[in-house]
Amino acid sequence: MDTNIASRTELPHVKDVKDLFGDLLGRDVDVLVGDAWAPMPLDRATVAEFVDDQVQLRAVAMLDLPLAVYTGAAVGLLPAGGARDMVDERDPSTMVIENLYEVLNVLTSVFNVGTNPHVKIASMYAPGTQFPGDIDQVVRRLTGRLDLTVSVDGYGSGRLALITVR
């Protein structure tokens, strides 16, 4: 086997995503396969880039505004009512965004299994932040993706897309 040929990054299992969110948030989480979606500019999606050890883009995670806020709030033990207000106002706090980055950093573990190349988070584009055109093309792909609806007990639900690039 030629070790110079990097293996393809495979999508995680739904159960692994569910277990990770449940463990991190310390509450019940339901995860269901959903329809593919791509954010419009006003949707205020969050996008994280995951790169391999050669800093090559391997995967992307995309969360809609509700899931980004509910995840960041739940991991920080912030009140659910305040999180829903942030979603309604479309304005997550700095603390929620920082907490979300940590969750996305840990999310790399669902990719770092088996023969998948090791990945780490390279950058996160917070809600409302413009992400580069090449990432915009990736999030609009219809193949190599796992689209999920994630419901966080006591907070609410939102969408998560995990997309492999290579």
Side-chain angles (χ1 to χ4, degrees):
M1 178 176 191
D2 185 352
T3 57
N4 291 326
I5 299 174
S7 58
R8 178 161 178 78
T9 302
E10 299 295 328
L11 288 166
H13 297 284
V14 174
K15 182 183 183 316
D16 294 337
V17 175
K18 178 185 184 333
D19 291 347
L20 180 131
F21 272 85
D23 290 346
L24 274 176
L25 304 180
R27 54 183 55 242
D28 289 335
V29 174
D30 288 323
V31 177
L32 301 170
V33 175
D35 294 329
W37 66 283
M40 298 304 289
L42 297 177
D43 286 342
R44 300 183 58 83
T46 297
V47 175
E49 297 177 280
F50 302 125
V51 298
D52 63 18
D53 293 335
Q54 286 73 44
V55 196
Q56 296 296 309
L57 183 64
R58 286 292 182 155
V60 170
M62 179 174 58
L63 296 84
D64 68 2
L65 179 65
L67 185 60
V69 171
Y70 298 148
T71 301
V75 78
L77 302 175
L78 300 174
R84 285 189 286 276
D85 289 345
M86 285 184 230
V87 171
D88 290 344
E89 294 167 9
R90 303 175 51 78
D91 189 23
S93 70
T94 301
M95 179 189 299
V96 165
I97 298 304
E98 290 170 355
N99 291 346
L100 178 61
Y101 180 89
E102 295 306 323
V103 170
L104 291 169
N105 189 32
V106 175
L107 184 64
T108 60
S109 66
V110 300
F111 290 104
N112 289 331
V113 296
T115 60
N116 276 354
H118 177 267
V119 297
K120 61 187 174 191
I121 191 168
S123 58
M124 181 185 88
Y125 302 96
T129 304
Q130 181 72 30
F131 38 89
D134 58 333
I135 298 300
D136 188 56
Q137 290 177 5
V138 169
V139 301
R140 295 183 186 293
R141 289 181 36 199
L142 295 176
T143 59
R145 62 186 293 147
L146 177 62
D147 288 273
L148 304 169
T149 298
V150 179
S151 298
V152 180
D153 185 45
Y155 285 85
S157 65
R159 295 178 293 190
L160 168 67
L162 302 174
I163 307 156
T164 57
V165 177
R166 56 173 53 196

